[in-house]
Each structure stands twice: as C-alpha cells, then as structure tokens.
Amino acid sequence: MKRINVVGTSASGKSTFSRKLAQKLNLAYIELDDLLWMDDWQETSDPEFFQKIKDAIADAEHHSDLQGYVIDGNYTRTVPLTWQEIDTVIWLDLPFALNLFQSIKRALSRAISKQPMWQHSNNTESFSRMLSRDSIILWMMKTHKKNRKKYQDRINHPDYAHIQFIHLRSRKEIESFLKQL
C-alpha cells in the first residue's frame, strides 16, 4: 500500500482516517476537498482541479522522505485520474444511522466553531447552510445508498482489477485496521 484512495459517504471519517493512515505509513496526505473548494464556496474548474491533483501526486512522488500518498475523497469525475496509479482503495462504509449521527454532530460542531473547513479556503459551516439545500447532512442522506452501490460496482469492475479494495464497515473495523499496520 503505497498509493491509496480513501472513499466513503460524507462524514464517514475519511479525513481523520486518511491523516492517521498517511502518518502511520509515512505517506503524503492529499485532501481532494481542499483542492476543489475555493473561498466563498466556489469550486475550482475541472481543468484546474485535475491539475492540482496531478501536482499534489507529483509532489508526493518526488518527496524523498515519503513513500507514496493517501488521497482523501471520492469525486467521481476524478477517478480516471486518481485511480490510474493507485494500488489500494479503502472504503469506509458505515451504517446509515451512524453516518447520519456523525454528519449532524460534525456539522453542528463546525457551525459553532466557525473554523475554516479546509486549509486553502475560508469556507465554514453555518446553521443556515445546515438547513439549506446545500446541507452536508442532506447530501449525506441523498448519497449514502448511491455510494454503496457505486463502490460495490467498482469493486467488481474489470477496469479496477489492479486495485486492492479494503471494505471497512464499522468503527471497530476501522480502528482495528489502523492498529494492525
């Protein structure tokens, strides 16, 4: 495991897990959300987003003291780029109720703290955003089932036969996986 993509529904714990994994394996950490989102909830254009990803991967591969990279995120449009060279996909697939709880807890915490969500943008969670059509909670509810189908299909797709898939279905499995590294 030298080139890894951690995927899962919003609030499944991808970022926390990915940072821990990168640290344990001495890998670079690449957060797709940080590369996509600009200030004031503006998205980077696809060509610029893809270039940022290419640059982050190149930086990770040329960094002499790191052994590879962990990509945190699952933008479908990036798969042709991000899955070309990866050797492992780790799917954090928590039960809907736990994912919903974590989504609400995280959104509330972020709305209260007003801390920027990513290093390279000023975006913060707000109570009004939590209750809008742009709500991350609503997004999680809409995509949880679709994501399960999408990743199950990818596990079985011949285009991805070169990739080792690790399917973690609970907090206990996630913690156990990190401990055994």
Side-chain angles (χ1 to χ4, degrees):
M1 291 191 318
K2 299 289 185 195
R3 295 181 179 107
I4 303 164
N5 188 189
V6 177
V7 299
T9 300
S10 298
S12 60
K14 291 182 304 293
S15 297
T16 300
F17 176 84
S18 295
R19 283 188 204 99
K20 289 178 182 177
L21 183 64
Q23 184 177 19
K24 276 195 149 212
L25 298 177
N26 194 35
L27 303 174
Y29 171 65
I30 301 170
E31 184 177 24
L32 294 184
D33 282 338
D34 191 41
L35 300 178
L36 175 73
W37 292 105
M38 297 183 298
D39 287 344
D40 304 318
W41 292 102
Q42 298 300 307
E43 287 189 31
T44 302
S45 68
D46 279 356
E48 188 178 347
F49 184 36
F50 298 155
Q51 189 58 53
K52 286 180 178 182
I53 294 168
K54 288 177 188 176
D55 292 346
I57 289 171
D59 287 348
E61 291 179 334
H62 295 104
H63 203 283
S64 62
D65 63 333
L66 298 175
Q67 305 296 313
Y69 54 84
V70 175
I71 297 174
D72 161 17
N74 36 276
Y75 293 98
T76 300
R77 65 186 182 266
T78 68
V79 167
L81 171 63
T82 57
W83 285 24
Q84 280 180 344
E85 301 294 326
I86 63 166
D87 54 47
T88 307
V89 169
I90 301 174
W91 174 19
L92 306 184
D93 181 24
L94 299 178
F96 179 82
L98 178 56
N99 230 145
L100 179 60
F101 172 76
Q102 288 182 182
S103 183
I104 294 167
K105 180 180 169 188
R106 183 179 77 174
L108 285 171
S109 174
R110 287 178 172 176
I112 292 167
S113 74
K114 297 288 187 208
Q115 291 294 314
M117 295 171 69
W118 304 288
Q119 183 179 354
H120 296 103
S121 74
N122 67 357
N123 300 315
T124 60
E125 184 65 80
S126 68
F127 291 106
S128 61
R129 188 170 183 82
M130 281 175 39
L131 301 173
S132 75
R133 290 186 316 201
D134 295 326
S135 168
I136 194 70
I137 299 166
L138 183 57
W139 176 257
M140 188 287 305
M141 293 170 67
K142 287 181 183 178
T143 59
H144 190 271
K145 187 175 181 179
K146 285 192 276 187
N147 279 342
R148 276 203 162 137
K149 176 157 180 29
K150 176 174 63 176
Y151 291 111
Q152 195 60 54
D153 289 348
R154 287 185 184 165
I155 286 170
N156 299 315
H157 198 284
D159 287 352
Y160 308 122
H162 67 286
I163 299 173
Q164 172 190 13
F165 285 86
I166 299 170
H167 189 180
L168 303 175
R169 296 174 180 92
S170 69
R171 283 279 160 235
K172 186 175 181 179
E173 285 184 13
I174 291 168
E175 290 169 19
S176 176
F177 178 83
L178 286 171
K179 282 182 186 175
Q180 72 183 6
L181 294 176

